[in-house]
Amino acid sequence: MLFRQLEYFVAVARERHFAHAAAACHVSQPALSAGISKLEQELNVSLINRGHAFEGLTPEGELVVMRAKRIVAERDTLKAEVHALKSGVTGVLRLGVVPSASTTVALPVAAFCAAHPLGATPAKPAS
C-alpha cells in the first residue's frame, strides 16, 4: 500500500469525480484509476461503486477513506515536524494583550525569541 494510492482514493471521495480527482492529484485519470485499483486489490475489496461515473463509496470504502485521511494527515504532520526540527521553529507568533500586561508578556516572549531565533522579528503593535 502506497501513500499515493491513499491520496488518490481520498481525492476521488472528496471530488466525487475521477477526472476532477486526477486533476487535483496532478496525474492522468488512467493513472489515478490504476492506483485505486491496486489499493482495492491489496485490500481485496471494492471501495467505489462504479457505473458510467462515480456512484459513491461502498461501506468498506467509507471506512477506508476515514482511515486514509488520517494516515495522509499523519504523514504530512511527520514531514512538517521533521522539517521544523531540521530548520528550527519559524512562523508568526501573535498575542493579544491588554496594554497593562505588555511588560509582563515581554519577558516570556523575549525568552522564546532567544530560544528560537529564526524569524524572530518583533511585530509592530496594532493600532
Side-chain angles (χ1 to χ4, degrees), residues 31-117:
L32 180 121
S33 293
I36 292 172
S37 292
K38 287 179 184 177
L39 179 62
E40 289 177 320
Q41 289 171 4
E42 186 172 339
L43 295 174
N44 197 28
V45 66
S46 179
L47 300 173
I48 299 171
N49 292 317
R50 292 174 176 87
H52 291 291
F54 178 85
E55 294 181 358
L57 300 177
T58 64
E60 296 85 359
E62 293 288 348
L63 173 68
V64 172
V65 78
M66 286 189 316
R67 300 283 179 133
K69 286 177 182 179
R70 282 189 238 152
I71 291 167
V72 170
E74 285 292 325
R75 188 246 358 235
D76 293 343
T77 300
L78 176 63
K79 282 182 171 182
E81 287 175 358
V82 168
H83 178 71
L85 282 174
K86 193 168 119 180
S87 65
V89 176
T90 61
V92 176
L93 174 64
R94 296 177 198 261
L95 298 174
V97 179
V98 294
S100 60
S102 62
T103 56
T104 305
V105 172
L107 295 173
V109 169
F112 179 84
C113 290
H116 306 285

